[in-house]
Amino acid sequence: MGDIEQLNIYVPNPDSSEFARAVAAVFAASGTQVDIRSDSKQAWKKSAREAAHCVFESRRANHPRAIQAIPLLGGHWAFEAAPDPSDWDIAQAVFNPHDIGESAAEQSFAVAQQAYIERFEFPYAFDDFVLILLDGDLGKALPHRPMSSFNLIKQVLKNEPERQVLIRMIGQAPNANQQARLDGFDLEDRISFTTAGLDRLLQACCYVVCQDTPLSLRAALHEKPVLHMGECGLHHIARNPEIDGRIQKSFNRMHRDRPDYARYIHWVLEHGLDINAPDFGATLQRRLGDLGW
């Protein structure tokens, strides 16, 4: 790290990012010049033509000097250099629940639930619905996410013909064109849109369909099955058509699966780096060294 002259950290909220400040402090202590910048697609593309090293919170690593930081739970983060989630080190690691003691897992799980689930006063109005969580890139199919959000909704309706379907946006609001396409789905009797609290919805739903890796962990805190449409870095207890081969097979298997949520949360947090830990600087340096920095 001492050889890195310039590091740019790209985050959605530069003025309030505890993550960016924690990483910046580690690099600044080694003599690196650090800039915390607002994330954008233009900046992401431009970074490949610049000499600076980069850490992206919301975008994949797109050149040899770039690393993606993936939020896990709370202050825990995974740092990965592979562009595609299925190639991340944590994705390639083998999760074996039998390697983890039951007592340690249950204690860790209880602590995580208490710490990371946002409290709400009243339960959601009904349950046994499918919860679809969509991010801001609604209409786009990407190399690691070959299905657009609109096609995702259609697949849920096709493979889940009876349950109610609730859709919640995560992150930025849709533009006018995207909203018009979403409004078309609102004509379906079984579909409705909600802005209710995420944990309130996760507590009530039957299962979750999403394209965002960290949301798989949030659902696991509520012990809810996840069907992840696209390449998934945290695929170990989620169903994934890219792995199963067919969407219908993923739906069928998800209904039969009995994931060990407590052991998985314990395992994932052990693989992540805690920015609030006293040894974060040392663990970050070791991890970045493993990634070639």
Side-chain angles (χ1 to χ4, degrees), residues 270-282:
E270 282 198 331
H271 276 71
L273 276 63
D274 184 357
I275 63 171
N276 298 309
D279 62 346
F280 172 64

mmCIF file with all atom_site columns, all heavy atoms in Angstrom, residues 270-282:
data_model
loop_
_atom_site.group_PDB
_atom_site.id
_atom_site.type_symbol
_atom_site.label_atom_id
_atom_site.label_alt_id
_atom_site.label_comp_id
_atom_site.label_asym_id
_atom_site.label_entity_id
_atom_site.label_seq_id
_atom_site.pdbx_PDB_ins_code
_atom_site.Cartn_x
_atom_site.Cartn_y
_atom_site.Cartn_z
_atom_site.occupancy
_atom_site.B_iso_or_equiv
_atom_site.pdbx_formal_charge
_atom_site.auth_seq_id
_atom_site.auth_comp_id
_atom_site.auth_asym_id
_atom_site.auth_atom_id
_atom_site.pdbx_PDB_model_num
ATOM 1  N N   . GLU A 1 270 ? -17.618 -13.604 9.270  1.00 0.00 ? 270 GLU A N   1
ATOM 2  C CA  . GLU A 1 270 ? -16.218 -13.970 9.506  1.00 0.00 ? 270 GLU A CA  1
ATOM 3  C C   . GLU A 1 270 ? -15.365 -13.724 8.270  1.00 0.00 ? 270 GLU A C   1
ATOM 4  O O   . GLU A 1 270 ? -14.168 -13.472 8.379  1.00 0.00 ? 270 GLU A O   1
ATOM 5  C CB  . GLU A 1 270 ? -16.114 -15.426 9.931  1.00 0.00 ? 270 GLU A CB  1
ATOM 6  C CG  . GLU A 1 270 ? -16.478 -15.667 11.394 1.00 0.00 ? 270 GLU A CG  1
ATOM 7  C CD  . GLU A 1 270 ? -15.957 -16.989 11.903 1.00 0.00 ? 270 GLU A CD  1
ATOM 8  O OE1 . GLU A 1 270 ? -15.811 -17.929 11.090 1.00 0.00 ? 270 GLU A OE1 1
ATOM 9  O OE2 . GLU A 1 270 ? -15.673 -17.086 13.119 1.00 0.00 ? 270 GLU A OE2 1
ATOM 10 N N   . HIS A 1 271 ? -15.959 -13.801 7.088  1.00 0.00 ? 271 HIS A N   1
ATOM 11 C CA  . HIS A 1 271 ? -15.219 -13.554 5.845  1.00 0.00 ? 271 HIS A CA  1
ATOM 12 C C   . HIS A 1 271 ? -15.080 -12.060 5.536  1.00 0.00 ? 271 HIS A C   1
ATOM 13 O O   . HIS A 1 271 ? -14.252 -11.683 4.711  1.00 0.00 ? 271 HIS A O   1
ATOM 14 C CB  . HIS A 1 271 ? -15.917 -14.251 4.675  1.00 0.00 ? 271 HIS A CB  1
ATOM 15 C CG  . HIS A 1 271 ? -15.546 -15.698 4.518  1.00 0.00 ? 271 HIS A CG  1
ATOM 16 N ND1 . HIS A 1 271 ? -15.962 -16.670 5.400  1.00 0.00 ? 271 HIS A ND1 1
ATOM 17 C CD2 . HIS A 1 271 ? -14.775 -16.325 3.604  1.00 0.00 ? 271 HIS A CD2 1
ATOM 18 C CE1 . HIS A 1 271 ? -15.488 -17.843 5.017  1.00 0.00 ? 271 HIS A CE1 1
ATOM 19 N NE2 . HIS A 1 271 ? -14.758 -17.669 3.941  1.00 0.00 ? 271 HIS A NE2 1
ATOM 20 N N   . GLY A 1 272 ? -15.902 -11.244 6.165  1.00 0.00 ? 272 GLY A N   1
ATOM 21 C CA  . GLY A 1 272 ? -15.847 -9.813  5.895  1.00 0.00 ? 272 GLY A CA  1
ATOM 22 C C   . GLY A 1 272 ? -14.885 -9.089  6.814  1.00 0.00 ? 272 GLY A C   1
ATOM 23 O O   . GLY A 1 272 ? -14.361 -9.647  7.777  1.00 0.00 ? 272 GLY A O   1
ATOM 24 N N   . LEU A 1 273 ? -14.628 -7.832  6.503  1.00 0.00 ? 273 LEU A N   1
ATOM 25 C CA  . LEU A 1 273 ? -13.786 -6.964  7.325  1.00 0.00 ? 273 LEU A CA  1
ATOM 26 C C   . LEU A 1 273 ? -14.677 -5.942  8.017  1.00 0.00 ? 273 LEU A C   1
ATOM 27 O O   . LEU A 1 273 ? -15.523 -5.313  7.377  1.00 0.00 ? 273 LEU A O   1
ATOM 28 C CB  . LEU A 1 273 ? -12.745 -6.239  6.469  1.00 0.00 ? 273 LEU A CB  1
ATOM 29 C CG  . LEU A 1 273 ? -11.451 -6.988  6.137  1.00 0.00 ? 273 LEU A CG  1
ATOM 30 C CD1 . LEU A 1 273 ? -11.726 -8.233  5.297  1.00 0.00 ? 273 LEU A CD1 1
ATOM 31 C CD2 . LEU A 1 273 ? -10.479 -6.069  5.396  1.00 0.00 ? 273 LEU A CD2 1
ATOM 32 N N   . ASP A 1 274 ? -14.473 -5.773  9.313  1.00 0.00 ? 274 ASP A N   1
ATOM 33 C CA  . ASP A 1 274 ? -15.280 -4.859  10.109 1.00 0.00 ? 274 ASP A CA  1
ATOM 34 C C   . ASP A 1 274 ? -14.554 -3.527  10.221 1.00 0.00 ? 274 ASP A C   1
ATOM 35 O O   . ASP A 1 274 ? -13.490 -3.435  10.840 1.00 0.00 ? 274 ASP A O   1
ATOM 36 C CB  . ASP A 1 274 ? -15.522 -5.452  11.494 1.00 0.00 ? 274 ASP A CB  1
ATOM 37 C CG  . ASP A 1 274 ? -16.443 -4.604  12.360 1.00 0.00 ? 274 ASP A CG  1
ATOM 38 O OD1 . ASP A 1 274 ? -16.849 -3.511  11.908 1.00 0.00 ? 274 ASP A OD1 1
ATOM 39 O OD2 . ASP A 1 274 ? -16.738 -5.033  13.486 1.00 0.00 ? 274 ASP A OD2 1
ATOM 40 N N   . ILE A 1 275 ? -15.132 -2.477  9.626  1.00 0.00 ? 275 ILE A N   1
ATOM 41 C CA  . ILE A 1 275 ? -14.457 -1.180  9.631  1.00 0.00 ? 275 ILE A CA  1
ATOM 42 C C   . ILE A 1 275 ? -14.394 -0.584  11.030 1.00 0.00 ? 275 ILE A C   1
ATOM 43 O O   . ILE A 1 275 ? -13.615 0.350   11.276 1.00 0.00 ? 275 ILE A O   1
ATOM 44 C CB  . ILE A 1 275 ? -15.137 -0.173  8.677  1.00 0.00 ? 275 ILE A CB  1
ATOM 45 C CG1 . ILE A 1 275 ? -16.568 0.119   9.125  1.00 0.00 ? 275 ILE A CG1 1
ATOM 46 C CG2 . ILE A 1 275 ? -15.094 -0.673  7.245  1.00 0.00 ? 275 ILE A CG2 1
ATOM 47 C CD1 . ILE A 1 275 ? -17.225 1.266   8.351  1.00 0.00 ? 275 ILE A CD1 1
ATOM 48 N N   . ASN A 1 276 ? -15.179 -1.105  11.960 1.00 0.00 ? 276 ASN A N   1
ATOM 49 C CA  . ASN A 1 276 ? -15.170 -0.590  13.335 1.00 0.00 ? 276 ASN A CA  1
ATOM 50 C C   . ASN A 1 276 ? -14.238 -1.376  14.255 1.00 0.00 ? 276 ASN A C   1
ATOM 51 O O   . ASN A 1 276 ? -14.091 -1.018  15.425 1.00 0.00 ? 276 ASN A O   1
ATOM 52 C CB  . ASN A 1 276 ? -16.589 -0.630  13.909 1.00 0.00 ? 276 ASN A CB  1
ATOM 53 C CG  . ASN A 1 276 ? -17.551 0.254   13.127 1.00 0.00 ? 276 ASN A CG  1
ATOM 54 O OD1 . ASN A 1 276 ? -17.268 1.427   12.900 1.00 0.00 ? 276 ASN A OD1 1
ATOM 55 N ND2 . ASN A 1 276 ? -18.678 -0.300  12.705 1.00 0.00 ? 276 ASN A ND2 1
ATOM 56 N N   . ALA A 1 277 ? -13.622 -2.431  13.748 1.00 0.00 ? 277 ALA A N   1
ATOM 57 C CA  . ALA A 1 277 ? -12.734 -3.250  14.567 1.00 0.00 ? 277 ALA A CA  1
ATOM 58 C C   . ALA A 1 277 ? -11.397 -2.536  14.780 1.00 0.00 ? 277 ALA A C   1
ATOM 59 O O   . ALA A 1 277 ? -10.915 -1.821  13.888 1.00 0.00 ? 277 ALA A O   1
ATOM 60 C CB  . ALA A 1 277 ? -12.498 -4.602  13.906 1.00 0.00 ? 277 ALA A CB  1
ATOM 61 N N   . PRO A 1 278 ? -10.774 -2.707  15.946 1.00 0.00 ? 278 PRO A N   1
ATOM 62 C CA  . PRO A 1 278 ? -9.494  -2.046  16.211 1.00 0.00 ? 278 PRO A CA  1
ATOM 63 C C   . PRO A 1 278 ? -8.401  -2.443  15.227 1.00 0.00 ? 278 PRO A C   1
ATOM 64 O O   . PRO A 1 278 ? -7.494  -1.638  14.955 1.00 0.00 ? 278 PRO A O   1
ATOM 65 C CB  . PRO A 1 278 ? -9.143  -2.523  17.637 1.00 0.00 ? 278 PRO A CB  1
ATOM 66 C CG  . PRO A 1 278 ? -10.446 -2.930  18.235 1.00 0.00 ? 278 PRO A CG  1
ATOM 67 C CD  . PRO A 1 278 ? -11.279 -3.451  17.109 1.00 0.00 ? 278 PRO A CD  1
ATOM 68 N N   . ASP A 1 279 ? -8.474  -3.655  14.680 1.00 0.00 ? 279 ASP A N   1
ATOM 69 C CA  . ASP A 1 279 ? -7.431  -4.117  13.766 1.00 0.00 ? 279 ASP A CA  1
ATOM 70 C C   . ASP A 1 279 ? -7.831  -3.965  12.304 1.00 0.00 ? 279 ASP A C   1
ATOM 71 O O   . ASP A 1 279 ? -7.255  -4.629  11.431 1.00 0.00 ? 279 ASP A O   1
ATOM 72 C CB  . ASP A 1 279 ? -7.082  -5.581  14.052 1.00 0.00 ? 279 ASP A CB  1
ATOM 73 C CG  . ASP A 1 279 ? -8.262  -6.522  13.835 1.00 0.00 ? 279 ASP A CG  1
ATOM 74 O OD1 . ASP A 1 279 ? -9.410  -6.034  13.732 1.00 0.00 ? 279 ASP A OD1 1
ATOM 75 O OD2 . ASP A 1 279 ? -8.031  -7.749  13.762 1.00 0.00 ? 279 ASP A OD2 1
ATOM 76 N N   . PHE A 1 280 ? -8.799  -3.086  12.010 1.00 0.00 ? 280 PHE A N   1
ATOM 77 C CA  . PHE A 1 280 ? -9.258  -2.951  10.630 1.00 0.00 ? 280 PHE A CA  1
ATOM 78 C C   . PHE A 1 280 ? -8.120  -2.580  9.689  1.00 0.00 ? 280 PHE A C   1
ATOM 79 O O   . PHE A 1 280 ? -8.023  -3.112  8.575  1.00 0.00 ? 280 PHE A O   1
ATOM 80 C CB  . PHE A 1 280 ? -10.379 -1.921  10.524 1.00 0.00 ? 280 PHE A CB  1
ATOM 81 C CG  . PHE A 1 280 ? -10.761 -1.587  9.109  1.00 0.00 ? 280 PHE A CG  1
ATOM 82 C CD1 . PHE A 1 280 ? -11.311 -2.557  8.286  1.00 0.00 ? 280 PHE A CD1 1
ATOM 83 C CD2 . PHE A 1 280 ? -10.552 -0.312  8.586  1.00 0.00 ? 280 PHE A CD2 1
ATOM 84 C CE1 . PHE A 1 280 ? -11.646 -2.259  6.966  1.00 0.00 ? 280 PHE A CE1 1
ATOM 85 C CE2 . PHE A 1 280 ? -10.895 -0.012  7.270  1.00 0.00 ? 280 PHE A CE2 1
ATOM 86 C CZ  . PHE A 1 280 ? -11.443 -0.981  6.457  1.00 0.00 ? 280 PHE A CZ  1
ATOM 87 N N   . GLY A 1 281 ? -7.254  -1.674  10.091 1.00 0.00 ? 281 GLY A N   1
ATOM 88 C CA  . GLY A 1 281 ? -6.155  -1.264  9.230  1.00 0.00 ? 281 GLY A CA  1
ATOM 89 C C   . GLY A 1 281 ? -5.282  -2.435  8.823  1.00 0.00 ? 281 GLY A C   1
ATOM 90 O O   . GLY A 1 281 ? -4.929  -2.603  7.641  1.00 0.00 ? 281 GLY A O   1
ATOM 91 N N   . ALA A 1 282 ? -4.928  -3.275  9.777  1.00 0.00 ? 282 ALA A N   1
ATOM 92 C CA  . ALA A 1 282 ? -4.068  -4.423  9.489  1.00 0.00 ? 282 ALA A CA  1
ATOM 93 C C   . ALA A 1 282 ? -4.783  -5.441  8.615  1.00 0.00 ? 282 ALA A C   1
ATOM 94 O O   . ALA A 1 282 ? -4.200  -5.989  7.663  1.00 0.00 ? 282 ALA A O   1
ATOM 95 C CB  . ALA A 1 282 ? -3.613  -5.076  10.795 1.00 0.00 ? 282 ALA A CB  1
#
